[in-house]
Amino acid sequence: MEIVYVYQRKRREFGRQPTFRDRPAELGVSIPPDPPYARNYIERKLSVCEVQSVPEKSEHEVNTESLAFTNRGILHIQGGWPKDVDPTDVEHTIRYRKKVEKDDEYIRAVQTLGNSMEHCIKQNNAIDIYEEYFGDAPDTITIDPPSAKSLNVYRDPNSLKRAATYVSWYPDDGHKIAVAYSVLDFQQMPANMCFDSYIWDVENPNVPDQTLTPPSPLVSVKYNPKDPHVLVGGCYNGLIAYWDTRKGAFPVDTSAVEKSHRDPVYNLAWVQSKSGSEFFSVSTDGQVLWWDIRKLTEPTESLLLDPEKNGNVVGGTVLDFETTMPTKFMVGAENGSVFMCNKKAKNPSEKITHIYPGHHGPVYALQIWVEDVRSPIMSTRYTSSYLTDACWSPTRPSVFFTSKLDGTVDVWDFVFKQNDPTLSVQVCNSPIHSIKVQDHGKIIAATARDGSTTILELSDGLARLQNNEKKIFSEMLEREAKREKTLESSAREKRLKAAQKRPNSSAMRPSGAALDEMINAAEDDFFSYIDDGSGTAREKALGAATA
């Protein structure tokens, strides 16, 4: 219903129409200055005042309160058992359950409740508006330029800042990271330093999700790929500890001091086994030890990095294990060598199957090797800052990542170009200790010496598999391996030809008077070189020898 009200008024009641016209200004009031007041007048200096150019629409300003979120768990215990049934006895409960299931009343009750339960379940159904209907279709090659952006930065919450030495991704969906914190400088650890390391939620960089309290600062930590609640950590004092996140911050078990490493444990790797509880560790004391978390009192097996078999042990810094080759693993050493090892060798002397002497110092540079070639088939160029860590992309076979001492992360795509990185990102101004990629290949975690852990998100072009990429990269590696083998065989042939052209060394060896003559000539040249001009160098040397 429309309501209309009409106002009516006579024209003469409106009043007279106003009119306006221009007129010159007129002086209305003039007040002359008063001399006594003029003497008290002080001219104010120039001042700047800022005003808002738009009118203010609000009378109040409100800042939202920052809320801290914490995770809580609920323990659900099955109940509702009769008094004569012991719920802790498995056989008793199974027997009672079978008895109830045979009852006709139970079947009738289940059928009656089934319809109402199905109705309630269907009420929760919703349409996923983000569902991908063509997820199996091949991806087209992306033409977007490679890029990376920083998502979050996780800093050491302690007042005494420590280096973030290692990072490990949560195995299932990668929504958490475990970060190890320690001071690696020799004898530079403060007396009151905190030993705790932390598990962070990727979405919450303000407060750690969980705390790990080891007996000594953690240098390395790694999630169990089969059980995401289990972690193992290598300590600065050489101990090995493992945690079950469902049982609190303290380790479930720790290795014995006399059976552990004698130096910091720099790397760990889980072994492909049926139990999912076996792993091995490496340290700069030159030992590779195999462990089982079900019995950490002593290692199940050990290997000493003594390639020359002369007692000169080489310290290990990095360790890698490939699940497709369950018996082979690789160890990077402090002297720059890379050891190819076989766990199932018949005796300890045969466990080190091959040595790649490819670096000038600790294994912090990147080279690509093939098992049956003695030289690297591909390598990155030298930079002003040496490399600190590297890892392959889990989704793209031709992409890998390297971190440097100047705080940058380089993304290499060898199918695209080999001389320079495809993308360089300045993560921080501090040296990076460790970089790890999420299983989806799109997010990178980088830990630095200043205690910060940065999460980087890559563009789709660097994370998605391109068309025929695996085939192209495999052919490239095969071509480079064949080239290196050809060069090795050519160099071997040249050495053999040179040895054949060289005359017999025994026939050319001087003897008798000719040998004495050569020795006397060499002595004359030596003493003439060291003589101070007096001509007595030979006599002084002979006198010192007889004395």
Side-chain angles (χ1 to χ4, degrees):
M1 181 178 65
E2 185 179 1
I3 301 176
V4 180
Y5 185 82
V6 181
Y7 292 88
Q8 295 181 353
R9 197 175 184 184
K10 296 181 179 180
R11 175 63 187 82
R12 62 175 177 271
E13 295 177 359
F14 279 104
R16 192 172 180 179
Q17 181 181 5
T19 57
F20 300 93
R21 60 187 175 84
D22 294 334
R23 57 180 293 183
E26 296 180 358
L27 180 61
V29 178
S30 177
I31 303 175
D34 191 354
Y37 288 106
R39 286 193 297 269
N40 296 331
Y41 176 76
I42 300 175
E43 185 178 359
R44 185 180 179 183
K45 292 183 179 180
L46 295 177
S47 61
V48 179
C49 181
E50 297 179 356
V51 295
Q52 188 73 4
S53 60
V54 295
E56 295 183 359
K57 300 293 185 180
S58 176
E59 294 289 338
H60 303 281
E61 294 181 357
V62 178
N63 190 13
T64 56
E65 183 180 358
S66 178
L67 298 177
F69 295 94
T70 58
N71 294 331
R72 301 285 183 178
I74 298 176
L75 178 61
H76 173 73
I77 299 177
Q78 188 179 13
W81 297 96
K83 293 182 180 180
D84 56 343
V85 176
D86 184 8
T88 60
D89 189 355
V90 179
E91 295 183 359
H92 202 177
T93 54
I94 293 175
R95 195 181 307 114
Y96 178 78
R97 189 181 292 112
K98 290 182 178 180
K99 176 183 176 182
V100 172
E101 289 174 356
K102 293 179 180 179
D103 191 1
D104 295 338
E105 188 64 28
Y106 169 78
I107 299 173
R108 192 180 303 108
V110 170
Q111 292 177 348
T112 305
L113 296 174
N115 296 329
S116 58
M117 182 59 67
E118 183 180 2
H119 175 72
C120 295
I121 292 174
K122 287 182 178 180
Q123 289 180 349
N124 295 327
N125 289 343
I127 298 175
D128 185 7
I129 62 175
Y130 301 104
E131 181 181 358
E132 293 186 8
Y133 294 98
F134 305 101
D136 298 335
D139 295 333
T140 58
I141 300 177
T142 57
I143 58 176
D144 297 336
S147 62
K149 62 179 181 180
S150 177
L151 296 181
N152 280 325
V153 178
Y154 312 86
R155 303 189 184 278
D156 186 6
N158 294 282
S159 57
L160 290 174
K161 299 303 178 183
R162 307 161 296 169
T165 56
Y166 205 89
V167 62
S168 178
W169 282 96
Y170 192 81
D172 282 349
D173 53 0
H175 70 282
K176 293 182 182 180
I177 53 173
V179 183
Y181 295 90
S182 180
V183 176
L184 298 181
D185 296 333
F186 182 65
Q187 293 185 349
Q188 298 297 320
M189 191 178 299
N192 56 347
M193 190 188 76
C194 179
F195 289 175
D196 292 345
S197 294
Y198 303 102
I199 297 175
W200 297 86
D201 193 328
V202 174
E203 301 296 334
N204 184 17
N206 300 320
V207 181
D209 185 70
Q210 197 165 353
T211 303
L212 304 177
T213 305
S216 178
L218 285 182
V219 179
S220 57
V221 64
K222 188 160 286 189
Y223 272 105
N224 188 340
K226 288 189 175 182
D227 188 354
H229 300 288
V230 175
L231 301 93
V232 292
C235 300
Y236 186 82
N237 62 356
L239 295 180
I240 301 293
Y242 98 90
W243 285 263
D244 190 333
T245 56
R246 297 164 293 189
K247 297 182 180 180
F250 292 95
V252 178
D253 197 4
T254 306
S255 62
V257 176
E258 62 274 10
K259 299 292 185 179
S260 303
H261 292 280
R262 296 183 294 274
D263 281 356
V265 182
Y266 281 97
N267 215 314
L268 302 158
W270 288 92
V271 180
Q272 188 80 8
S273 61
K274 295 180 180 180
S275 61
S277 60
E278 299 177 13
F279 66 97
F280 59 124
S281 59
V282 68
S283 173
T284 49
D285 62 354
Q287 295 185 93
V288 179
L289 302 179
W290 281 262
W291 305 87
D292 194 326
I293 60 174
R294 297 172 295 184
K295 185 183 179 183
L296 277 181
T297 54
E298 60 180 356
T300 59
E301 200 171 346
S302 64
L303 169 65
L304 200 62
L305 297 178
D306 184 11
E308 302 296 334
K309 308 297 187 297
N310 56 2
N312 295 328
V313 180
V314 181
T317 57
V318 67
L319 191 68
D320 200 5
F321 173 78
E322 175 59 39
T323 56
T324 58
M325 296 183 292
T327 61
K328 294 184 179 181
F329 62 95
M330 301 185 76
V331 181
E334 286 183 313
N335 64 348
S337 301
V338 179
F339 299 100
M340 174 68 77
C341 306
N342 186 3
K343 182 185 176 184
K344 298 298 183 182
K346 295 181 180 179
N347 52 66
S349 61
E350 297 179 357
K351 286 190 175 181
I352 300 178
T353 59
H354 197 79
I355 302 175
Y356 302 98
H359 297 271
H360 307 297
V363 182
Y364 291 138
L366 190 137
Q367 295 177 340
I368 300 178
W369 299 77
V370 176
E371 186 176 357
D372 53 348
V373 180
R374 294 185 178 182
S375 57
I377 60 173
M378 303 179 81
S379 61
T380 59
R381 60 178 176 85
Y382 286 96
T383 59
S384 57
S385 298
Y386 67 81
L387 305 183
T388 57
D389 198 7
C391 62
W392 286 97
S393 171
T395 55
R396 291 196 56 189
S398 65
V399 173
F400 58 90
F401 311 93
T402 59
S403 60
K404 293 190 291 186
L405 193 69
D406 58 359
T408 60
V409 171
D410 293 336
V411 183
W412 298 79
D413 188 352
F414 265 22
V415 171
F416 180 59
K417 58 180 178 180
Q418 294 85 32
N419 296 329
D420 298 306
T422 305
L423 177 66
S424 293
V425 182
Q426 184 71 38
V427 178
C428 59
N429 296 323
S430 183
I432 295 177
H433 280 284
S434 173
I435 56 171
K436 292 294 181 291
V437 189
Q438 196 184 34
D439 291 340
H440 304 296
K442 194 174 178 61
I443 300 178
I444 303 176
T447 62
R449 187 178 295 175
D450 59 0
S452 64
T453 303
T454 306
I455 300 294
L456 299 174
E457 184 180 11
L458 301 175
S459 58
D460 290 339
L462 295 174
R464 289 189 178 182
L465 184 66
Q466 306 297 318
N467 291 336
N468 298 325
E469 179 184 356
K470 190 173 183 180
K471 178 182 177 183
I472 294 172
F473 189 60
S474 300
E475 292 175 353
M476 180 187 298
L477 295 179
E478 291 176 0
R479 183 174 63 250
E480 294 297 324
K482 189 179 295 184
R483 182 177 66 87
E484 289 295 330
K485 289 179 180 179
T486 304
L487 292 176
E488 285 184 2
S489 61
S490 176
R492 193 183 306 111
E493 290 177 0
K494 288 181 179 179
R495 289 194 298 268
L496 291 175
K497 289 181 180 179
Q500 292 174 358
K501 291 181 179 179
R502 193 181 305 125
N504 192 3
S505 58
S506 61
M508 297 296 294
R509 185 177 299 169
S511 60
L515 179 61
D516 296 338
E517 218 176 291
M518 291 179 64
I519 294 174
N520 293 331
E523 287 181 354
D524 292 340
D525 292 340
F526 173 73
F527 287 116
S528 64
Y529 182 78
I530 66 173
D531 194 6
D532 56 357
S534 61
T536 59
R538 182 187 294 270
E539 288 76 8
K540 290 180 181 180
L542 293 175
T546 55

